[in-house]
Amino acid sequence: LGLARKLAERIERPALPSDGPERLAAVERERARLKDAVRYQPAQVRYAWPVGNTKRRGVETISYRFELDNGLSATGVWLKGKAVAPGAQPTLVLHDKGKKAAAGEVADRVNREDQVLAVDLLFTGDMVPLAKPGIHGYTQFLATLGDRPLGLVSARLIGTARWLQKTSGNQTVRLETTGLRSQVAALVAAALEPGLFSEIVVHGGVPSLGYLLDKPVEYQAAPELFCADLFKYFDLDRLAELCAPTRLLQ
């Protein structure tokens, strides 16, 4: 850990040009480097299987299991008030502890007459594997195949957000996250697909990936964030720059 901290202190990331063609070219180079670092491969929702629905106290819900075209899956619950018009603002909600822990954030957006999709992506909530060796073991298995779990999570998030765009009838999607893992996945996704999200709201986030070393955060607690070369080239402020024109609120 001491060696890692010393190496991190030596990292220098040149600032991006302030404007003009030079900035556009630099941003594209950085985005290509990010895609390589997280081994990003686009994924689209192939099927959205409704598995349950409710209508209670003026709120409708539909529970989904999403099957993506890369063979992986996710789960989600779509909520909206019965009086909400089609095309109302859609908000996608992520929580490090799973969608059940996001009840407060979901209720707030439903009360604001948003359409809300609370989702569990890779290794959160419903998508945490129950069998041994746990999520940190599975992330290592994925790494042996040349994948990066952070890239897989970001691809699921992007694919689910595009499905929400189409299904909600609105071309802008808000993203609201709680926790470090969800924060980083959201910033990576928005940096890879600029303009996909109109706004990202972060609760319980951190200012830098250096937090992983300073805390320190154990690998088992957030294995997808220990992504080879990610911190070498990127910190959260650089990812935020690549998210433009998305508005970021922390």
Side-chain angles (χ1 to χ4, degrees):
L1 178 59
L3 177 60
R5 286 171 174 164
K6 289 181 179 180
L7 292 173
E9 290 173 357
R10 299 176 185 174
I11 294 175
E12 295 183 2
R13 305 180 189 90
L16 297 178
S18 58
D19 54 25
E22 294 83 5
R23 180 176 177 82
L24 293 177
V27 166
E28 287 305 311
R29 287 195 299 270
E30 289 291 276
R31 189 165 290 125
R33 176 177 284 174
L34 178 60
K35 288 181 179 180
D36 182 65
V38 301
R39 303 294 192 270
Y40 173 66
Q41 294 293 332
Q44 302 297 323
V45 173
R46 177 183 294 168
Y47 301 112
W49 304 106
V51 295
N53 69 294
T54 66
K55 293 184 180 180
R56 187 181 303 166
R57 297 180 181 178
V59 177
E60 301 179 8
T61 75
I62 305 176
S63 299
Y64 287 98
R65 187 170 188 88
F66 299 105
E67 180 183 331
L68 286 85
D69 57 10
N70 62 2
L72 299 176
S73 59
T75 64
V77 178
W78 190 0
L79 307 93
K80 65 176 182 176
K82 292 182 180 179
V84 171
Q89 171 70 60
T91 292
L92 200 155
V93 175
L94 299 179
H95 197 294
D96 279 9
K97 297 182 179 179
K99 60 181 180 294
K100 292 180 181 178
E105 293 82 358
V106 169
D108 177 67
R109 299 314 304 182
V110 170
N111 290 337
R112 294 171 185 267
E113 299 188 348
D114 281 10
Q115 303 180 73
V116 181
L117 180 66
V119 297
D120 287 337
L121 302 173
L122 191 64
F123 303 136
T124 59
D126 295 339
M127 304 310 296
V128 173
L130 300 179
K132 293 182 179 180
I135 63 173
H136 61 283
Y138 282 99
T139 57
Q140 292 171 350
F141 293 157
L142 289 169
T144 66
L145 299 174
D147 288 318
R148 297 288 184 269
L150 181 57
L152 293 174
V153 172
S154 300
R156 287 188 187 194
L157 176 54
I158 291 168
T160 306
R162 293 203 182 284
W163 176 88
L164 181 58
Q165 275 184 324
K166 181 178 179 180
T167 307
S168 68
N170 195 311
Q171 291 302 306
T172 62
V173 175
R174 288 183 71 256
L175 179 57
E176 196 157 337
T177 74
T178 301
L180 168 63
R181 297 169 65 200
S182 297
Q183 174 193 15
V184 176
L187 290 178
V188 170
L192 292 171
E193 294 290 342
L196 175 59
F197 303 104
S198 59
E199 177 180 272
I200 299 176
V201 179
V202 176
H203 305 287
V206 297
S208 167
L209 288 173
Y211 177 85
L212 297 171
L213 301 177
D214 297 336
K215 173 69 178 173
V217 176
E218 293 188 357
Y219 176 80
Q220 291 87 338
E224 69 271 33
L225 302 189
F226 292 83
C227 179
D229 288 338
L230 179 66
F231 189 40
K232 179 179 179 180
Y233 296 115
F234 299 94
D235 204 353
L236 301 186
D237 57 347
R238 177 58 56 88
L239 293 176
E241 284 190 89
L242 300 182
C243 291
T246 299
R247 187 167 68 144
L248 181 61
L249 302 175
Q250 301 187 73

